[in-house]
Amino acid sequence: MNDLDVVQATERLVEGIEKAGFDYALAGAIALAYWATPRATVDIDIAVDADAIRLPELVAALRKVGCDFDEERVLDAAERGDLGVRLGGIR
């Protein structure tokens, strides 16, 4: 997949999460840009409301939009409440 800029990656990620029916909240510099003067960022901070039973659905939604990750590691991290994936060169 070609590298995306952080706005394109955020749009793609949010679209996939919404289509899968998850509630979410953007945080970090992406959210700050909505409310105040934007600052440079190289990542997307997003909180997704997904209990353990729905983690496989979340993983499928992330894969569908093109996220790159090791599924076993992501599921383990998600159960602890934190996971990281890559989408078009953005974490």
Side-chain angles (χ1 to χ4, degrees):
M1 173 184 298
N2 294 335
D3 284 353
L4 303 172
D5 68 34
V6 73
V7 173
Q8 293 168 323
T10 301
E11 289 170 346
R12 186 177 293 181
L13 185 59
V14 164
E15 182 179 309
I17 290 169
E18 286 179 350
K19 280 185 180 178
F22 289 97
D23 291 328
Y24 67 92
L26 291 170
I30 296 294
L32 177 68
Y34 181 82
W35 296 104
T37 304
R39 67 173 174 83
T41 186
V42 294
D43 70 350
I44 303 166
D45 299 306
I46 186 167
V48 179
D49 183 17
D51 57 21
I53 196 93
R54 291 198 66 202
L55 286 178
E57 290 176 63
L58 178 58
V59 166
L62 294 172
R63 279 245 190 259
K64 191 171 184 175
V65 298
C67 290
D68 181 36
F69 54 87
D70 176 286
E71 187 169 332
E72 185 176 329
R73 290 180 67 189
V74 163
L75 288 172
D76 288 342
E79 288 181 11
R80 292 189 309 272
D82 182 35
L83 67 94
V85 299
R86 291 186 115 20
L87 176 59
I90 307 291
R91 181 183 188 289

